[in-house]
Amino acid sequence: QVQLVESGGGLVQPGGSLRLSCAASGSIFSINGMGWYRQAPGKERELVAGITSRGTTNYVDSIKGRFTISRDNAKNTVYLQMNSLKPEDTAVYYCCAQIRTKPSEAGRIYWGQGTQVTVSS
């Protein structure tokens, strides 16, 4: 069984910073891509940032230059450093990862439970 546990959300003023963490645990053989999605009230879930096992990153245009995704493969953890936060960044943030639990499988996507980020004065 595999779990993704997120932490680091909260309430922050506009212009502030937060760092989200997501640790994978359980029966893990390997982790391929990892990423962060977010879902604001009344909107669809959108990809915010992704990172491959080799460290290649991609970002949605609205957060480029403000957010940075990184990962620590030894800890099976992915991070999202969020700077210069804006009210429109308010959403529930979910991490995800493509994980193989044994060598013979292609891997499946696992999701965290979500963490609330609220940007408000």
Side-chain angles (χ1 to χ4, degrees):
Q1 189 174 0
V2 173
Q3 275 191 317
L4 297 183
V5 179
E6 298 144 345
S7 60
L11 172 64
V12 64
Q13 292 186 341
S17 298
L18 283 174
R19 188 191 194 209
L20 306 183
S21 300
C22 173
S25 63
S27 180
I28 297 171
F29 174 74
S30 67
I31 302 177
N32 297 330
M34 305 183 82
W36 290 93
Y37 283 71
R38 67 185 179 186
Q39 187 166 21
K43 295 188 177 182
E44 294 187 353
R45 189 175 297 191
E46 66 168 350
L47 174 65
V48 175
I51 185 167
T52 69
S53 58
R54 295 185 178 184
T56 302
T57 59
N58 66 284
Y59 299 94
V60 67
D61 286 345
S62 61
I63 59 89
K64 283 182 179 178
R66 299 189 296 121
F67 293 9
T68 302
I69 189 171
S70 61
R71 63 190 284 175
D72 184 332
N73 292 330
K75 296 181 178 180
N76 292 334
T77 299
V78 63
Y79 306 96
L80 187 66
Q81 177 67 44
M82 306 185 293
N83 299 328
S84 302
L85 282 159
K86 304 176 181 180
E88 50 264 43
D89 294 318
T90 296
V92 178
Y93 284 70
Y94 299 89
C95 70
C96 65
Q98 184 181 29
I99 296 174
R100 292 195 293 166
T101 59
K102 48 189 174 183
S104 59
E105 69 178 20
R108 53 159 287 194
I109 301 297
Y110 293 84
W111 291 90
Q113 79 284 359
T115 185
Q116 177 69 47
V117 171
T118 302
V119 185
S120 175
S121 56

Coordinates of all heavy atoms in Angstrom, one line a residue, residues 4 6-7 9 20-22 33-41 43-51 58-60 62-63 67 69 78-80 82 88-98 109-117:
L4 N 0.5 9.1 0.0 CA 1.1 10.4 -0.1 C 0.6 11.3 0.9 O -0.7 11.5 1.0 CB 0.9 10.9 -1.5 CG 1.4 10.2 -2.8 CD1 1.1 10.9 -4.0 CD2 2.9 9.9 -2.6
E6 N 0.6 15.1 2.5 CA 1.0 16.5 2.2 C 1.1 17.3 3.5 O 0.4 17.0 4.5 CB 0.0 17.2 1.3 CG 0.0 16.5 -0.1 CD -1.4 16.5 -0.6 OE1 -2.4 16.8 0.1 OE2 -1.6 16.3 -1.9
S7 N 1.9 18.4 3.5 CA 1.9 19.3 4.7 C 2.4 20.6 4.2 O 2.9 20.8 3.1 CB 2.8 18.8 5.7 OG 4.2 18.6 5.2
G9 N 0.4 23.6 4.0 CA -0.6 24.6 3.6 C -1.0 25.5 4.8 O -0.5 25.4 5.9
L20 N 5.1 23.7 0.4 CA 4.4 22.5 0.6 C 5.3 21.3 0.4 O 6.3 21.3 -0.3 CB 3.3 22.4 -0.5 CG 2.3 23.5 -0.6 CD1 1.3 23.2 -1.7 CD2 1.6 23.8 0.7
S21 N 5.0 20.3 1.2 CA 5.8 19.0 1.1 C 4.8 17.9 0.9 O 3.7 17.9 1.4 CB 6.6 18.8 2.4 OG 7.5 19.8 2.7
C22 N 5.3 16.8 0.2 CA 4.5 15.6 0.0 C 5.5 14.4 0.1 O 6.3 14.3 -0.8 CB 3.8 15.7 -1.3 SG 2.9 14.2 -1.8
G33 N 7.4 10.3 -12.4 CA 7.1 11.8 -12.3 C 6.4 12.0 -11.0 O 5.6 11.2 -10.5
M34 N 6.5 13.3 -10.5 CA 5.8 13.8 -9.4 C 5.3 15.1 -9.7 O 5.9 15.8 -10.6 CB 6.7 13.8 -8.1 CG 7.3 12.5 -7.8 SD 8.3 12.6 -6.2 CE 7.0 12.4 -5.0
G35 N 4.2 15.6 -9.1 CA 3.7 16.9 -9.4 C 2.7 17.4 -8.4 O 2.3 16.7 -7.4
W36 N 2.3 18.6 -8.7 CA 1.3 19.3 -7.8 C 0.2 19.8 -8.7 O 0.4 20.4 -9.8 CB 1.9 20.5 -7.1 CG 2.9 20.1 -6.0 CD1 4.3 20.0 -6.2 CD2 2.6 19.8 -4.7 NE1 4.8 19.6 -5.0 CE2 3.8 19.5 -4.0 CE3 1.4 19.8 -3.9 CZ2 3.8 19.2 -2.7 CZ3 1.4 19.5 -2.6 CH2 2.7 19.2 -2.0
Y37 N -1.0 19.6 -8.3 CA -2.2 20.1 -8.9 C -2.9 21.0 -7.9 O -2.6 20.9 -6.7 CB -3.2 19.0 -9.3 CG -2.8 18.2 -10.6 CD1 -1.7 17.4 -10.6 CD2 -3.6 18.4 -11.7 CE1 -1.4 16.7 -11.7 CE2 -3.3 17.7 -12.9 CZ -2.2 16.8 -12.9 OH -1.9 16.1 -14.0
R38 N -3.8 21.8 -8.4 CA -4.7 22.6 -7.4 C -6.1 22.7 -8.0 O -6.3 22.6 -9.2 CB -4.1 24.0 -7.2 CG -4.1 24.9 -8.4 CD -3.4 26.2 -8.1 NE -3.4 27.2 -9.2 CZ -2.7 28.3 -9.2 NH1 -2.0 28.7 -8.2 NH2 -2.8 29.1 -10.3
Q39 N -7.0 22.9 -7.0 CA -8.4 23.1 -7.4 C -9.0 24.2 -6.6 O -9.1 24.1 -5.3 CB -9.2 21.8 -7.2 CG -10.6 21.8 -7.8 CD -11.2 20.4 -7.9 OE1 -10.8 19.5 -7.2 NE2 -12.2 20.3 -8.7
A40 N -9.4 25.2 -7.3 CA -10.1 26.3 -6.6 C -11.6 26.1 -6.6 O -12.1 25.3 -7.5 CB -9.8 27.6 -7.3
P41 N -12.3 26.7 -5.7 CA -13.8 26.5 -5.7 C -14.4 26.8 -7.0 O -14.2 27.9 -7.6 CB -14.3 27.5 -4.6 CG -13.1 27.7 -3.7 CD -11.9 27.6 -4.6
K43 N -13.9 25.5 -9.8 CA -13.0 25.3 -11.0 C -12.5 23.9 -11.1 O -12.6 23.2 -10.1 CB -11.8 26.3 -10.9 CG -12.2 27.8 -11.0 CD -11.0 28.7 -11.1 CE -11.3 30.1 -11.3 NZ -10.1 31.0 -11.4
E44 N -12.0 23.6 -12.2 CA -11.5 22.2 -12.4 C -10.1 22.2 -11.8 O -9.4 23.2 -11.7 CB -11.5 21.9 -13.9 CG -12.8 21.7 -14.6 CD -12.8 21.3 -16.0 OE1 -11.6 21.1 -16.5 OE2 -13.8 21.0 -16.6
R45 N -9.7 20.9 -11.5 CA -8.3 20.7 -11.0 C -7.3 21.0 -12.2 O -7.5 20.5 -13.3 CB -8.2 19.3 -10.5 CG -6.9 19.0 -9.8 CD -6.8 17.6 -9.2 NE -7.9 17.4 -8.2 CZ -7.9 16.4 -7.4 NH1 -7.0 15.4 -7.5 NH2 -8.9 16.2 -6.5
E46 N -6.3 21.7 -11.9 CA -5.3 22.0 -12.9 C -3.9 21.7 -12.4 O -3.6 21.7 -11.2 CB -5.3 23.5 -13.2 CG -4.9 24.5 -12.1 CD -4.6 25.9 -12.6 OE1 -4.6 26.2 -13.8 OE2 -4.5 26.8 -11.7
L47 N -3.0 21.3 -13.4 CA -1.7 21.0 -13.1 C -0.9 22.3 -12.8 O -1.0 23.3 -13.6 CB -1.0 20.3 -14.3 CG 0.5 20.0 -14.2 CD1 0.8 19.1 -13.0 CD2 1.1 19.5 -15.5
V48 N -0.2 22.4 -11.7 CA 0.6 23.5 -11.4 C 2.0 23.3 -11.8 O 2.6 24.2 -12.4 CB 0.5 23.8 -9.9 CG1 1.4 24.9 -9.5 CG2 -0.9 24.1 -9.4
A49 N 2.6 22.2 -11.4 CA 4.0 22.0 -11.7 C 4.3 20.5 -11.7 O 3.6 19.7 -10.9 CB 4.9 22.7 -10.7
G50 N 5.3 20.0 -12.5 CA 5.6 18.6 -12.5 C 7.2 18.5 -12.5 O 7.9 19.4 -13.0
I51 N 7.7 17.4 -12.1 CA 9.1 17.1 -12.1 C 9.3 15.6 -12.4 O 8.7 14.8 -11.8 CB 9.7 17.6 -10.8 CG1 11.3 17.4 -10.8 CG2 9.1 16.8 -9.6 CD1 12.0 18.1 -9.7
N58 N 8.3 21.4 -15.2 CA 7.5 22.2 -16.1 C 6.4 22.8 -15.2 O 6.1 22.3 -14.1 CB 6.8 21.3 -17.1 CG 5.8 20.3 -16.5 OD1 6.2 19.3 -16.0 ND2 4.5 20.6 -16.6
Y59 N 6.0 24.0 -15.6 CA 5.1 24.8 -14.8 C 4.0 25.4 -15.7 O 4.1 25.7 -16.8 CB 5.9 26.0 -14.2 CG 7.0 25.7 -13.3 CD1 8.3 25.6 -13.8 CD2 6.8 25.4 -11.9 CE1 9.3 25.2 -12.9 CE2 7.8 25.1 -11.1 CZ 9.1 25.0 -11.6 OH 10.1 24.7 -10.8
V60 N 2.8 25.6 -15.0 CA 1.7 26.4 -15.7 C 2.2 27.8 -15.8 O 2.9 28.3 -14.9 CB 0.4 26.2 -14.9 CG1 0.5 26.9 -13.6 CG2 -0.7 26.7 -15.8
S62 N 0.8 30.6 -15.2 CA 0.4 31.6 -14.2 C 1.3 31.6 -13.0 O 1.2 32.6 -12.2 CB -1.1 31.3 -13.8 OG -1.1 30.0 -13.2
I63 N 2.1 30.6 -12.8 CA 3.0 30.6 -11.6 C 4.5 30.6 -11.9 O 5.3 30.6 -11.0 CB 2.6 29.4 -10.7 CG1 2.8 28.1 -11.5 CG2 1.2 29.5 -10.1 CD1 4.2 27.5 -11.4
F67 N 6.8 30.1 -8.3 CA 6.8 28.8 -7.7 C 7.9 27.9 -8.2 O 8.3 28.0 -9.3 CB 5.5 28.0 -8.0 CG 4.2 28.5 -7.4 CD1 4.2 29.8 -6.8 CD2 3.0 27.8 -7.4 CE1 3.0 30.3 -6.2 CE2 1.9 28.3 -6.9 CZ 1.8 29.5 -6.3
I69 N 9.3 23.8 -8.0 CA 9.1 22.4 -7.6 C 10.4 21.7 -7.5 O 11.4 22.0 -8.3 CB 8.2 21.7 -8.6 CG1 7.8 20.3 -8.1 CG2 8.8 21.6 -10.0 CD1 6.7 19.6 -8.9
V78 N 8.4 15.3 -2.6 CA 8.3 16.4 -3.5 C 7.9 17.7 -2.8 O 7.1 17.6 -1.9 CB 7.4 16.1 -4.7 CG1 5.9 15.9 -4.3 CG2 7.5 17.2 -5.8
Y79 N 8.5 18.8 -3.2 CA 8.2 20.1 -2.6 C 7.7 21.1 -3.6 O 7.9 21.0 -4.8 CB 9.5 20.7 -2.0 CG 10.2 19.7 -1.0 CD1 11.3 18.9 -1.5 CD2 9.9 19.7 0.3 CE1 11.9 18.1 -0.6 CE2 10.5 18.8 1.2 CZ 11.6 18.0 0.7 OH 12.2 17.2 1.5
L80 N 7.0 22.1 -3.1 CA 6.5 23.2 -3.9 C 6.8 24.5 -3.1 O 6.0 24.7 -2.1 CB 5.1 23.1 -4.3 CG 4.6 24.2 -5.3 CD1 5.3 24.0 -6.7 CD2 3.1 24.1 -5.5
M82 N 6.4 28.2 -2.8 CA 5.5 29.2 -3.4 C 5.8 30.6 -2.9 O 5.7 30.8 -1.6 CB 4.0 28.9 -3.1 CG 3.7 27.5 -3.6 SD 1.9 27.1 -3.3 CE 1.8 27.1 -1.6
E88 N -5.5 34.8 -6.1 CA -5.9 33.8 -7.1 C -5.2 32.4 -7.0 O -5.5 31.5 -7.7 CB -5.8 34.3 -8.5 CG -4.4 34.9 -8.8 CD -4.4 36.4 -8.7 OE1 -4.9 36.9 -7.7 OE2 -3.8 37.1 -9.6
D89 N -4.2 32.4 -6.1 CA -3.5 31.1 -5.8 C -4.3 30.3 -4.8 O -3.9 29.1 -4.5 CB -2.1 31.3 -5.3 CG -1.2 31.9 -6.4 OD1 -1.3 31.5 -7.6 OD2 -0.4 32.9 -6.0
T90 N -5.3 30.8 -4.2 CA -6.1 30.1 -3.2 C -6.7 28.9 -3.8 O -7.4 29.0 -4.8 CB -7.2 31.1 -2.6 OG1 -6.5 32.1 -1.9 CG2 -8.1 30.3 -1.7
A91 N -6.5 27.8 -3.2 CA -7.0 26.5 -3.7 C -6.6 25.4 -2.8 O -5.8 25.6 -1.9 CB -6.4 26.2 -5.1
V92 N -7.2 24.2 -3.0 CA -6.7 23.0 -2.4 C -5.6 22.5 -3.3 O -5.8 22.3 -4.5 CB -7.8 22.0 -2.2 CG1 -7.2 20.7 -1.6 CG2 -8.9 22.5 -1.3
Y93 N -4.4 22.2 -2.8 CA -3.3 21.7 -3.5 C -3.1 20.2 -3.3 O -3.1 19.8 -2.1 CB -2.0 22.5 -3.1 CG -2.0 23.9 -3.7 CD1 -2.8 24.9 -3.3 CD2 -1.1 24.2 -4.8 CE1 -2.8 26.1 -3.9 CE2 -1.0 25.4 -5.3 CZ -1.9 26.4 -4.9 OH -1.9 27.7 -5.4
Y94 N -3.0 19.5 -4.4 CA -2.8 18.0 -4.3 C -1.5 17.6 -4.9 O -1.1 18.1 -6.0 CB -3.9 17.3 -5.1 CG -5.3 17.6 -4.6 CD1 -6.1 18.7 -5.1 CD2 -5.9 16.7 -3.7 CE1 -7.4 18.9 -4.6 CE2 -7.2 17.0 -3.2 CZ -7.9 18.0 -3.7 OH -9.2 18.3 -3.3
C95 N -0.8 16.7 -4.3 CA 0.4 16.2 -4.9 C 0.0 14.8 -5.5 O -1.0 14.2 -5.2 CB 1.5 16.0 -3.9 SG 1.3 14.7 -2.7
C96 N 0.8 14.4 -6.5 CA 0.6 13.1 -7.2 C 1.9 12.6 -7.6 O 2.9 13.3 -7.7 CB -0.4 13.3 -8.4 SG 0.3 14.2 -9.7
A97 N 1.9 11.3 -7.8 CA 3.2 10.6 -8.2 C 2.9 9.3 -8.9 O 1.9 8.7 -8.6 CB 4.1 10.3 -7.0
Q98 N 3.7 9.1 -9.9 CA 3.5 7.8 -10.6 C 4.5 6.8 -10.0 O 5.7 7.0 -10.0 CB 3.9 7.9 -12.1 CG 3.7 6.6 -12.9 CD 4.0 6.7 -14.4 OE1 4.9 7.5 -14.7 NE2 3.3 5.9 -15.2
I109 N -0.9 6.1 -10.8 CA -0.9 7.4 -10.2 C -1.5 7.3 -8.8 O -2.6 6.8 -8.7 CB -1.6 8.4 -11.1 CG1 -1.0 8.5 -12.5 CG2 -1.6 9.8 -10.4 CD1 0.4 9.0 -12.5
Y110 N -0.8 7.9 -7.9 CA -1.3 8.0 -6.5 C -1.5 9.5 -6.2 O -0.7 10.4 -6.7 CB -0.4 7.4 -5.5 CG -0.3 5.9 -5.6 CD1 0.6 5.3 -6.5 CD2 -1.0 5.0 -4.8 CE1 0.7 3.9 -6.7 CE2 -1.0 3.7 -4.9 CZ -0.1 3.1 -5.9 OH 0.0 1.7 -6.0
W111 N -2.5 9.8 -5.3 CA -2.8 11.2 -5.0 C -2.7 11.4 -3.5 O -3.0 10.5 -2.7 CB -4.2 11.5 -5.4 CG -4.3 11.6 -6.9 CD1 -4.7 10.6 -7.8 CD2 -4.2 12.8 -7.7 NE1 -4.7 11.1 -9.0 CE2 -4.4 12.5 -9.0 CE3 -3.8 14.1 -7.4 CZ2 -4.3 13.4 -10.1 CZ3 -3.7 15.0 -8.5 CH2 -4.0 14.7 -9.8
G112 N -2.3 12.6 -3.1 CA -2.4 13.0 -1.7 C -3.8 13.4 -1.3 O -4.7 13.5 -2.2
Q113 N -4.0 13.7 -0.1 CA -5.4 14.1 0.4 C -5.7 15.5 0.2 O -6.9 15.9 0.3 CB -5.5 13.7 1.9 CG -4.9 14.8 2.8 CD -3.4 14.7 2.9 OE1 -2.7 13.9 2.3 NE2 -2.8 15.6 3.7
G114 N -4.7 16.3 -0.2 CA -4.9 17.7 -0.4 C -4.6 18.6 0.8 O -4.9 18.2 1.9
T115 N -4.1 19.8 0.5 CA -3.9 20.7 1.6 C -4.3 22.1 1.2 O -4.1 22.5 0.0 CB -2.4 20.8 2.0 OG1 -2.2 21.6 3.1 CG2 -1.5 21.2 0.8
Q116 N -5.0 22.8 2.1 CA -5.6 24.1 1.7 C -4.6 25.2 1.8 O -3.9 25.3 2.8 CB -6.8 24.4 2.7 CG -7.4 25.8 2.4 CD -8.2 25.8 1.1 OE1 -9.0 24.9 0.8 NE2 -8.0 26.9 0.4
V117 N -4.5 26.0 0.7 CA -3.7 27.2 0.7 C -4.7 28.4 0.5 O -5.4 28.4 -0.5 CB -2.7 27.2 -0.4 CG1 -2.0 28.5 -0.6 CG2 -1.7 26.1 -0.2

